[in-house]
C-alpha cells in the first residue's frame, strides 16, 4: 500500500550510539554500542522503519563479554551487523584503554542463524584499531575494514582505513593488509558498499562530538584509490548550532525491498546551559531518507546535509505495532527485563535475585559506586530530559559501610546518589552522595533521619537542566532532599575526560565491609513527562 506515514527522530531515543542497520527480507535490525554496560549490543527490530521493538542483546553471556576493570566509556564500541550466506554476522570492538596514546582494542566476530541466537563463540580478528565492519562482496569473498590506530607521538592517531580478507573456513584474517584511504581530517567508522560498479566507503568524520559528520568516498577497485565526494559531508550539523539534532554522524545505509534508501546515523539532542549545550541523553539513533544522484553519489532526499526530525517512511511497508515497554516494573518476573542494564558484569544470583523475596528486586551490597569491577547496580536509559523515576526501598543497614538507594548515573566519576545508610546513634539516615567529575562529597545538611519511616519512597525528577531528589514515608507527603542539581553534568559534554555514553537512572546497593547486606526494591517506575 502507498503510505504518507513519517518516522520521528530519534527512532531509538536515549543512549543508542553508533547504529548499524541491516535488512533481512521485510525486517530491519539496528544494533548499537553499549560501552561498559552489560548485556552488550541491544538490537531493535522493525518492519516499517517507524516503530521499533527490542529484539534482544547480542552479547548476553559473560564468556563473550568480559568487561571487568574496563574504564568508563571503554568496552564495546561500534558494533557492525550484517547478513550473508544465510547468517547474521556481528563484528564488535572491546576497547580496554581510554584517554591514552594507546587503545588496547580487540576486534571479534560472532555469527548466528537467527537474530535471537544462539550466537557462536567469539573469533578474535585483530587489534589494529576500532570501528571494524565486514563487507561481503559479490564474488563471495568477505573483507574486514577498520580504522588503523597509531600511538606514536609524531604521527596522526587516526592513520587511515585498512582492509584485509576474512576466511570463514579458517575463521581468521588472511593475506595482506591494505591501507585504502588516508585523510588529513579525522576519519573512522568505515563501511563498504557496492553499487553500479562502484565501491563506496562510508566514513565517520571529525570525531563524535560537535564536529561530527559522514563523508563518502568511492572507487572502481576494492583496494582503491578512493576519491572523496566532491560535495563534502553527506551529513553534518557542525555548522548548524541551532539544529534540534546535533553531533550527527557515524552511519550506515540500507535499501528497502522497493529500492528506497535510508541512512541510519547517530545524533544528540542538546540541553542549553550557561556553559554551552550538553546532551544528557547521549547519542541516539536516527534515520534519514537518501537518494542517488545521476552521477552516482548519495544525497539526503530532502536536500542539503542537515538531518531532519520528521522523515517520510518507506512508501510500501507492513505497518508494525510494537509492544510498549511499561513505565513500571513490579519485579514479578524471574529475570530482569530487557530495559535494564548492569555495569561491566552480568546479573547473577550471587548479588541479584528476583525470587528470594518474590515481587522484590533483591540486591546484595558489593563495591562502591567508584568501582570498575563488582557493583550491585541496575539501571535504565533516560529517553527524555523531562521524566520522573520513583522506587520503593526496604533496607535496614546497621553500619555506615552499608548503603542503598536511587542513583542518577553517568559513570564512576559523575553521578548523583540518593542513598540510605546507618549513622551511629541515629539509625537510618537518608542523604546525598555526589561524585562530580571525580570529586566526591556527601553534604551533611541534606541528611534526614528515617529510622521510623514505615516506607522509603525515593524519587528523582528531571526537568531539562535541573534534577531534584525527594523522598516520602507514605507516598503522600514528599520531602525535598538537597538542592536543585545540574542534570547536564550527566553527559558526554561535561568534564575533561573522553566520555561516550548517556544518562541512566536506577537502583544500587553497597556493602563496603563485605557482608553483602540486602536491599529489597518493591517496584521501580520511570515516566516521561
Amino acid at each position: 500500500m502507498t503510505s504518507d506515514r513519517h518516522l520521528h527522530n530519534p527512532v531509538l531515543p536515549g543512549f543508542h550510539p553508533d547504529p548499524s542497520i541491516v535488512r533481512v527480507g521485510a525486517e530491519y535490525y539496528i544494533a548499537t554500542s553499549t560501552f561498559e554496560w552489560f548485556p552488550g549490543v541491544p538490537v531493535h527490530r522493525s518492519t516499517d522503519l517507524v516503530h521499533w521493538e527490542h529484539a534482544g542483546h547480542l552479547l548476553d553471556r559473560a564468556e563473550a563479554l568480559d568487561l571487568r576493570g574496563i574504564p568508563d566509556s571503554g568496552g564495546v564500541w561500534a558494533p557492525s551487523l550484517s547478513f550473508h550466506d544465510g547468517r547474521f554476522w556481528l563484528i564488535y570492538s572491546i576497547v580496554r584503554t581510554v584517554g591514552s596514546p594507546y587503545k588496547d582494542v580487540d576486534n571479534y566476530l560472532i555469527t548466528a542463524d537467527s537474530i535471537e541466537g544462539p550466537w557462536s563463540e567469539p573469533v578474535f580478528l585483530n587489534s589494529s584499531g576500532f570501528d571494524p565492519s565486514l563487507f561481503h562482496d559479490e564474488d563471495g569473498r568477505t573483507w574486514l575494514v577498520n580504522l588503523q590506530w597509531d600511538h606514536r607521538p609524531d604521527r596522526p592517531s587516526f592513520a587511515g582505513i585498512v582492509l584485509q580478507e576474512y576466511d570463514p573456513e579458517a575463521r581468521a584474517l588472511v593475506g595482506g593488509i591494505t591501507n585504502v584511504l588516508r585523510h588529513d581530517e579525522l576519519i573512522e567508522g568505515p563501511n563498504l558498499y557496492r553499487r553500479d560498479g562502484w565501491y563506496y566507503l562510508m566514513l565517520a568524520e571529525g570525531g563524535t562530538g560537535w564536529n561530527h559528520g559522514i563523508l563518502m568516498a568511492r572507487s572502481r577497485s576494492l583496494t582503491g584509490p578512493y576519491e572523496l565526494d566532491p560535495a563534502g559531508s553527506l551529513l553534518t550539523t557542525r555548522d548548524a548550532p541551532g539544529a534540534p539534532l546535533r553531533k550527527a554522524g557515524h552511519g550506515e545505509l540500507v535499501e528497502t525491498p522497493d529500492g528506497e534508501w535510508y541512512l541510519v546515523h547517530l545524533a544528540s539532542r542538546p540541553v542549553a546551559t550557561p556553559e554551552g549545550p550538553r546532551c544528557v541523553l547521549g547519542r541516539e539513533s536516527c534515520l534519514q531518507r537518501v537518494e542517488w544522484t545521476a552521477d552516482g553519489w548519495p544525497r539526503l532526499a530532502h536536500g542539503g546535509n542537515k538531518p531532519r526530525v520528521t522523515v517520510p517512511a518507506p512508501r510500501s511497508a507492513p505497518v508494525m505495532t510494537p509492544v510498549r515497554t511499561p513505565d513500571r516494573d513490579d519485579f514479578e518476573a524471574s529475570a530482569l527485563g530487557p530495559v535494564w542494564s548492569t555495569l561491566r558484569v552480568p546479573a547473577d544470583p550471587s548479588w541479584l535475585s528476583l525470587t528470594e523475596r518474590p515481587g522484590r528486586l533483591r540486591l546484595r551490597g558489593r563495591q562502591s559506586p567508584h568501582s570498575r569491577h563488582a557493583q550491585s547496580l541496575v539501571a535504565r536509559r533516560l529517553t527524555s530530559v523531562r521524566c520522573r523515576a520513583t522506587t520503593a526501598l526496604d533496607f535496614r543497614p546497621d553500619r555506615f559501610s552499608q548503603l542503598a538507594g536511587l542513583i542518577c548515573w553517568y559513570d564512576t566519576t559523575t553521578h548523583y546518589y540518593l542513598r540510605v545508610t546507618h549513622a551511629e546513634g541515629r539509625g537510618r539516615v537518608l542523604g546525598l552522595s555526589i561524585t562530580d567529575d571525580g570529586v566526591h562529597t556527601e553534604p551533611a545538611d541534606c541528611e534526614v533521619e528515617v529510622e521510623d519511616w514505615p516506607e522509603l519512597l525515593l524519587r528523582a525528577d528531571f526537568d531539562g537542566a535541573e534534577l531534584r531528589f525527594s523522598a516520602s514515608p507514605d507516598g503522600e507527603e514528599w520531602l525535598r532532599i538537597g538542592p536543585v542539581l545540574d542534570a547536564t553534568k550527566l553527559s558526554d559534554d561535561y568534564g575533561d575526560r573522553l566520555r561516550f555514553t548517556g544518562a541512566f537512572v536506577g537502583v544500587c546497593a553497597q556493602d563496603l565491609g563485605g557482608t553483602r547486606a540486602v536491599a529489597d526494591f518493591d517496584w521501580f517506575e520511570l515516566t516521561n513527562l
Side-chain angles (χ1 to χ4, degrees), residues 391-405:
T391 192
L393 169 63
D394 183 4
F395 182 52
R396 298 285 172 178
D398 56 22
R399 291 187 58 78
F400 72 92
S401 53
Q402 298 167 345
L403 310 94

Side-chain angles (χ1 to χ4, degrees), residues 238-251:
R238 66 173 65 96
D239 54 351
L245 301 172
R246 299 289 306 280
K247 301 183 180 180
H250 195 113

Side-chain angles (χ1 to χ4, degrees), residues 283-295:
R283 297 171 299 153
E284 308 173 282
S285 291
C286 303
L287 285 162
Q288 307 296 326
R289 195 162 175 269
V290 168
E291 295 176 344
W292 294 83
T293 65
D295 59 348

Side-chain angles (χ1 to χ4, degrees), residues 62-132:
E63 307 82 67
L65 189 60
D66 183 1
L67 298 176
R68 288 170 297 179
I70 288 289
D72 295 326
S73 290
V76 178
W77 286 21
S80 182
L81 185 64
S82 59
F83 187 82
H84 171 69
D85 199 23
R87 287 185 293 168
F88 288 93
W89 306 60
L90 182 79
I91 300 284
Y92 63 98
S93 299
I94 297 182
V95 177
R96 306 184 190 279
T97 305
V98 177
S100 160
Y102 304 98
K103 276 291 177 279
D104 297 314
V105 54
D106 297 322
N107 295 319
Y108 297 94
L109 166 68
I110 56 174
T111 60
D113 295 334
S114 166
I115 200 71
E116 289 83 11
W119 289 82
S120 67
E121 293 301 311
V123 174
F124 170 76
L125 297 174
N126 67 17
S127 298
S128 60
F130 48 87
D131 288 359

Side-chain angles (χ1 to χ4, degrees), residues 162-501:
V162 293
L163 181 75
Q164 190 175 11
E165 188 171 4
Y166 175 74
D167 184 342
E169 296 297 324
R171 303 183 76 206
L173 296 173
V174 296
I177 301 171
T178 304
N179 196 318
V180 299
L181 181 64
R182 292 181 174 89
H183 191 37
D184 292 339
E185 300 297 325
L186 188 160
I187 55 172
E188 54 189 333
N191 284 279
L192 273 166
Y193 306 90
R194 191 168 185 178
R195 182 180 184 273
D196 292 344
W198 289 99
Y199 289 94
Y200 289 89
L201 186 58
M202 175 171 279
L203 303 161
E205 60 169 342
T208 191
W210 307 108
N211 196 46
H212 206 22
I214 292 177
L215 184 65
M216 298 296 297
R218 71 180 183 184
S219 173
R220 290 294 188 184
S221 169
L222 174 65
T223 56
Y226 282 82
E227 61 170 317
L228 298 176
D229 186 342
S233 301
L234 170 64
L235 177 82
T236 188
T237 50
R238 66 173 65 96
D239 54 351
L245 301 172
R246 299 289 306 280
K247 301 183 180 180
H250 195 113
E252 291 190 11
L253 291 168
V254 68
E255 186 179 11
T256 74
D258 295 330
E260 298 177 85
W261 287 81
Y262 283 81
L263 169 70
V264 68
H265 65 93
L266 67 80
S268 295
R269 292 176 288 171
V271 174
T273 79
E275 293 79 18
R278 291 176 180 165
C279 304
V280 176
L281 303 180
R283 297 171 299 153
E284 308 173 282
S285 291
C286 303
L287 285 162
Q288 307 296 326
R289 195 162 175 269
V290 168
E291 295 176 344
W292 294 83
T293 65
D295 59 348
W297 289 104
R299 299 284 182 260
L300 300 186
H302 58 256
N305 59 7
K306 305 296 180 289
R308 286 190 173 178
V309 172
T310 302
V311 175
R315 287 186 290 267
S316 177
V319 177
M320 178 175 175
T321 305
V323 177
R324 183 182 177 276
T325 301
D327 293 341
R328 181 175 168 123
D329 192 336
D330 287 304
F331 301 124
E332 294 176 345
S334 59
L336 286 175
V339 298
W340 293 102
S341 296
T342 58
L343 276 171
R344 293 177 174 82
V345 295
D348 69 56
S350 71
W351 65 273
L352 183 151
S353 174
L354 289 160
T355 57
E356 288 183 14
R357 188 177 178 185
R360 304 288 179 103
L361 168 65
R362 169 162 289 183
L363 298 182
R364 299 185 185 278
R366 295 191 298 167
Q367 294 178 356
S368 79
H370 294 181
S371 172
R372 300 203 308 254
H373 296 272
Q375 285 208 49
S376 297
L377 182 152
V378 294
R380 293 180 55 172
R381 293 162 173 80
L382 289 193
T383 58
S384 170
V385 295
R386 288 178 172 81
C387 62
R388 168 175 288 174
T390 313
T391 192
L393 169 63
D394 183 4
F395 182 52
R396 298 285 172 178
D398 56 22
R399 291 187 58 78
F400 72 92
S401 53
Q402 298 167 345
L403 310 94
L406 177 68
I407 197 160
C408 299
W409 183 268
Y410 184 85
D411 63 15
T412 63
T413 73
T414 304
H415 49 265
Y416 300 114
Y417 186 16
L418 178 61
R419 88 289 184 271
V420 177
T421 186
H422 175 86
E424 293 86 342
R426 300 166 63 197
R428 287 192 305 181
V429 295
L430 176 65
L432 292 183
S433 174
I434 298 172
T435 300
D436 183 342
D437 197 21
V439 178
H440 178 71
T441 57
E442 297 187 13
D445 59 355
C446 294
E447 286 194 345
V448 178
E449 295 182 8
V450 294
E451 179 64 31
D452 60 349
W453 282 24
E455 286 190 285
L456 285 170
L457 301 178
L458 309 179
R459 174 171 287 173
D461 283 296
F462 287 84
D463 185 9
E466 298 181 343
L467 169 63
R468 294 173 176 84
F469 281 119
S470 56
S472 173
D474 55 14
E476 299 293 332
E477 299 292 329
W478 287 86
L479 177 68
R480 176 73 57 79
I481 307 295
V484 176
L485 300 166
D486 185 352
T488 69
K489 291 182 177 181
L490 306 176
S491 73
D492 295 352
D493 312 298
Y494 178 69
D496 296 328
R497 300 170 179 85
L498 290 172
R499 314 207 307 181
F500 301 125
T501 55

